[in-house]
């Protein structure tokens, strides 16, 4: 069994470190945020991820998993060091901010005193492996120490990260040092997954190309959804019908509010940036981003079409996290939706099963008018006297809502279903004005061209 140091104890680092410990390795997770490490030492998790708390507890008790702010402690006897720090977008053009990786590489270099394999798990622009190598070499406190750098991009999804670690579709390892890549492969052998060993740049590119492809599928189906609305087709059934084709597949064909989260938006931007820096014009990537931006405006447009001016209206928001089973708010559509509504003078009543704290922090950070936002205890409180209910995150618990009761407590019976989560027919039968994404036939007349809107107008007048 190996001795492993994981640098960066966020969604990726904590899951990776914990799961590697669970495979029997001795793992030390290092982070620069002392408060995070203190909480972890007390058994408190800084993030929400299903199953994670129990596995952390089990491995800490077994003495296989440790937390520290000290690189020296983390690197002591380590065979492998994973770099799993954040690589957010730079503010300006969308390139990746490598400063966290660079700082981590410098700190590692200062403590290296024996041969170690450095593994880049963070998503880094193509060529970063060489940058990490150079930084480490330039900052070694013992210049005679040897090391290797291997790229091992991460593909886990928040919300199912443990399962994704345990049953990956593939493990990608890239290095100019094939022996080092093979040593890293031994860590993953118990998972019995296909292992792709390639060069450094190709491994880095596989990560960006994979995320860009998945984002493209989402923007593709969202464009199809727009067309479906105009032509009275139902995108849900279109996606199901397409998905039977093995060449296409059903995954990532859910029309909705567009992609968000900590990866797709920044990784598509970074890939486009890399392409432009290389003198190319990545037209498809730009279209993918443009369609995604348009989806963010959809809810606000629909609300004003149905309710008229939003000033003084109360908009109930179900779900804040960028997707279910996580508390991650990075680039969550809820932020744009709440901002657009409150900027127009509406009040937002919001609820999320786990992302209330991170949601509040994110809304504040993004400059949303907090005096117009009320955090509620549950979905029924959100619906109370609301002029419209917007389903933003498809948390499973919202499936069992008693929509008949919700209908009676709302001021106006309007549901904007940003994830095509509810049964359109049932909500229409209950007297709701239901508005999904790309579901032409179920849309209220106001949303359709050349229809008489007057009949349904009376439904929403207060
Ligand atoms: P995160 O923000 O949740 O965690 C990063 C952690 O690194 C933080 O705890 C931060 O304090 C710590 N850190 C920053 N600089 C440090 C330093 N110099 N030394 C020690 N710790 C430091 O980020 P994340 O979501 O875990 O993502 C990490 C990387 O993995 C990113 O490159 C991301 O693109 C990639 N990735 C993320 C996911 C995902 O679902 N979150 C999936 C695949 C890949």
């Amino acid at each position: 069994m190996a001795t492993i140091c994981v640098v960066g104890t966020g969604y990726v680092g904590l899951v990776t470190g914990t799961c590697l410990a669970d495979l029997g390795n001795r793992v030390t997770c290092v982070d620069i945020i002392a408060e995070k490490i203190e909480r972890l030492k007390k058994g408190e998790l800084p993030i929400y991820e299903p199953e994670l708390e129990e596995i952390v507890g089990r491995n800490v008790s077994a003495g296989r998993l440790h937390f520290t702010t000290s690189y020296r402690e983390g690197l002591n006897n380590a065979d492998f060091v994973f770099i799993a720090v954040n690589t957010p977008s730079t503010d300006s053009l969308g390139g990746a901010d490598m400063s966290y990786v660079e700082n981590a590489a410098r700190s590692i270099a200062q403590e290296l005193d024996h041969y170690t394999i450095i593994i880049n798990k963070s998503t880094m622009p193509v060529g970063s492996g060489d940058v990490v190598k150079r930084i480490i070499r330039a900052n070694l406190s013992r210049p005679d120490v040897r090391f290797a750098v291997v790229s091992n991009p991460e593909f886990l999804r928040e919300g199912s990260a443990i399962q994704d670690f345990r049953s990956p579709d593939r493990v990608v390892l890239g290095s100019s040092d094939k022996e080092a890549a093979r040593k890293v492969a031994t860590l993953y052998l118990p998972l019995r997954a296909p292992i792709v060993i390639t060069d450094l740049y190709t491994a880095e590119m596989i990560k960006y190309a994979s995320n860009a492809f998945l984002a493209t599928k989402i923007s593709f189906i969202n464009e199809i959804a727009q067309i479906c609305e105009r032509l009275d087709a139902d995108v849900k059934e279109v996606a199901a019908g397409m998905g039977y084709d093995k060449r296409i597949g059903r995954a990532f064909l859910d029309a909705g509010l567009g992609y968000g989260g900590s990866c797709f938006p920044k990784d598509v931007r970074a890939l486009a940036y890399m392409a432009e820096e290389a003198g190319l014009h990545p037209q498809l990537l730009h279209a993918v981003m443009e369609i995604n931006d348009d989806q963010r405006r959809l809810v606000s447009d629909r609300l004003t079409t149905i309710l008229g001016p939003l000033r003084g209206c109360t908009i109930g928001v179900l779900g804040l996290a960028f997707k279910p089973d996580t508390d991650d708010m990075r680039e969550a559509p809820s932020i744009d939706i709440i901002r657009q509504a409150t900027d127009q003078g509406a009040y937002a009543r919001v609820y999320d099963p786990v992302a209330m704290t991170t949601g509040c922090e994110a809304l504040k950070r993004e400059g949303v008018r907090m005096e117009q936002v009320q955090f509620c205890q549950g979905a029924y409180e959100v619906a109370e006297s609301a002029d419209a209910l917007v389903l933003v995150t498809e948390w499973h618990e919202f499936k069992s809502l008693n929509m008949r009761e919700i209908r009676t407590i709302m001021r106006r019976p309007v549901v904007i279903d940003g994830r095509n989560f509810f049964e359109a027919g049932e909500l229409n039968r209950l007297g709701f004005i239901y508005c999904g994404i790309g579901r032409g036939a179920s849309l209220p007349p106001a949303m359709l061209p050349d229809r008489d809107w007057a009949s349904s107008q009376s439904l929403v007048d207060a």
Side-chain angles (χ1 to χ4, degrees):
M1 287 299 144
T3 300
I4 298 169
C5 172
V6 178
V7 174
T9 312
Y11 289 88
V12 167
L14 186 56
V15 168
T16 305
T18 302
C19 290
L20 285 167
D22 211 39
L23 290 175
N25 299 292
R26 186 181 187 284
V27 179
T28 304
C29 294
V30 178
D31 206 286
I32 41 169
I33 302 179
E35 188 208 336
K36 199 177 247 196
I37 294 299
E38 281 316 308
R39 285 185 61 190
L40 281 161
K41 281 182 171 169
K42 284 191 241 155
E44 290 172 24
L45 260 59
I47 55 164
Y48 174 80
E49 182 62 42
E51 295 182 71
L52 186 57
E53 193 166 358
E54 190 264 315
I55 309 174
V56 168
R58 176 165 14 108
N59 284 281
V60 168
S61 303
R64 286 189 297 263
L65 182 60
H66 307 267
F67 301 102
T68 181
T69 51
S70 158
Y71 273 82
R72 177 159 301 173
E73 202 180 320
L75 285 160
N76 185 28
N77 287 326
D79 306 301
F80 303 95
V81 180
F82 283 86
I83 299 182
V85 301
N86 34 332
T87 49
S89 287
T90 53
D91 286 340
S92 50
L93 295 167
D97 176 356
M98 283 287 288
S99 60
Y100 301 90
V101 171
E102 289 162 9
N103 287 339
R106 271 189 286 272
S107 304
I108 291 167
Q110 278 149 26
E111 300 300 340
L112 273 194
D113 59 4
H114 61 280
Y115 175 77
T116 312
I117 299 179
I118 320 292
I119 305 163
N120 290 342
K121 189 148 261 314
S122 298
T123 305
M124 307 181 190
V126 178
S128 299
D130 282 341
V131 174
V132 168
K133 244 188 250 175
R134 272 200 299 277
I135 292 176
I136 294 183
R137 197 169 294 129
N139 289 278
L140 283 172
S141 56
R142 289 187 42 182
D144 55 318
V145 168
R146 287 174 52 248
F147 67 93
V149 173
V150 176
S151 165
N152 172 214
E154 181 53 63
F155 299 96
L156 64 74
R157 297 160 298 175
E158 287 171 22
S160 56
I162 302 292
Q163 278 317 311
D164 291 345
F165 179 93
R166 288 178 174 161
S167 319
D169 291 333
R170 78 303 208 185
V171 173
V172 174
L173 300 171
S175 185
S176 53
D177 182 340
K178 292 290 177 285
E179 188 46 37
R182 277 193 285 275
K183 281 191 182 140
V184 179
T186 60
L187 294 176
Y188 291 105
L189 288 182
L191 306 180
R192 299 174 183 282
I195 295 180
V196 179
I197 296 189
T198 178
D199 63 82
L200 207 46
Y201 288 19
T202 304
E204 292 166 340
M205 188 64 191
I206 288 172
K207 173 64 190 174
Y208 281 102
S210 302
N211 273 4
F213 183 75
L214 295 173
T216 302
K217 269 188 109 173
I218 295 172
S219 281
F220 173 84
I221 200 68
N222 281 331
E223 182 151 293
I224 295 293
Q226 300 286 339
I227 303 171
C228 283
E229 282 186 9
R230 289 299 162 120
L231 303 183
D232 259 3
D234 186 333
V235 75
K236 243 183 136 164
E237 292 179 31
V238 169
M242 288 170 67
Y244 282 108
D245 189 325
K246 293 190 190 64
R247 295 167 304 174
I248 297 173
R250 177 64 187 81
F252 287 82
L253 285 184
D254 292 311
L257 300 172
Y259 57 79
S262 64
C263 290
F264 287 180
K266 82 171 171 65
D267 291 348
V268 178
R269 279 195 296 269
L271 183 57
Y273 178 78
M274 278 182 260
E276 274 155 9
E277 286 288 285
L280 299 169
H281 175 48
Q283 302 171 61
L284 179 60
L285 297 179
H286 281 295
V288 167
M289 291 188 278
E290 220 173 284
I291 293 168
N292 205 55
D293 289 345
D294 286 352
Q295 294 306 109
R296 297 297 179 98
R297 286 186 284 274
L298 219 83
V299 169
S300 169
D301 292 351
R302 285 176 181 201
L303 287 171
T304 43
T305 307
I306 296 175
L307 300 175
L310 295 186
R311 178 160 299 282
C313 287
T314 299
I315 310 300
V317 176
L318 293 179
L320 294 169
F322 87 93
K323 69 173 190 173
D325 293 319
T326 182
D327 59 349
D328 199 341
M329 284 293 297
R330 288 176 281 188
E331 306 217 24
S334 61
I335 299 170
D336 288 328
I337 289 164
I338 295 167
R339 193 205 337 265
Q340 286 157 10
T342 49
D343 280 355
Q344 292 175 65
Y347 296 93
R349 292 162 70 85
V350 308
Y351 167 71
D352 188 287
V354 304
M356 296 292 265
T357 308
T358 51
C360 181
E361 287 163 1
L363 292 174
K364 274 188 195 151
R365 203 170 42 242
E366 298 288 335
V368 170
R369 298 161 203 258
M370 296 305 280
E371 63 283 6
Q372 287 162 240
V373 181
Q374 189 188 337
F375 289 83
C376 299
Q377 303 286 327
Y380 294 97
E381 196 184 329
V382 163
E384 189 99 40
S385 305
D387 294 285
L389 201 56
V390 183
L391 187 289
V392 180
T393 317
E394 64 277 37
W395 282 94
H396 186 69
E397 71 171 58
F398 296 147
K399 267 280 180 239
S400 50
L401 287 178
N402 182 338
M403 294 307 285
R404 189 182 297 278
E405 186 183 336
I406 295 244
R407 167 79 175 82
T408 62
I409 58 179
M410 288 180 70
R411 184 156 52 209
R412 296 196 266 187
V414 175
V415 169
I416 311 283
D417 183 355
R419 302 290 178 186
N420 290 337
F421 180 76
F422 296 117
E423 286 305 321
E426 190 199 329
L427 263 62
N428 285 332
R429 267 193 304 284
L430 289 173
F432 282 99
I433 293 182
Y434 172 85
C435 199
I437 309 281
R439 316 190 68 185
S442 68
L443 284 178
M447 307 304 303
L448 298 169
D450 309 323
R451 302 280 173 94
D452 173 17
W453 164 225
S455 57
S456 47
Q457 181 75 62
S458 60
L459 261 179
V460 294
D461 283 342

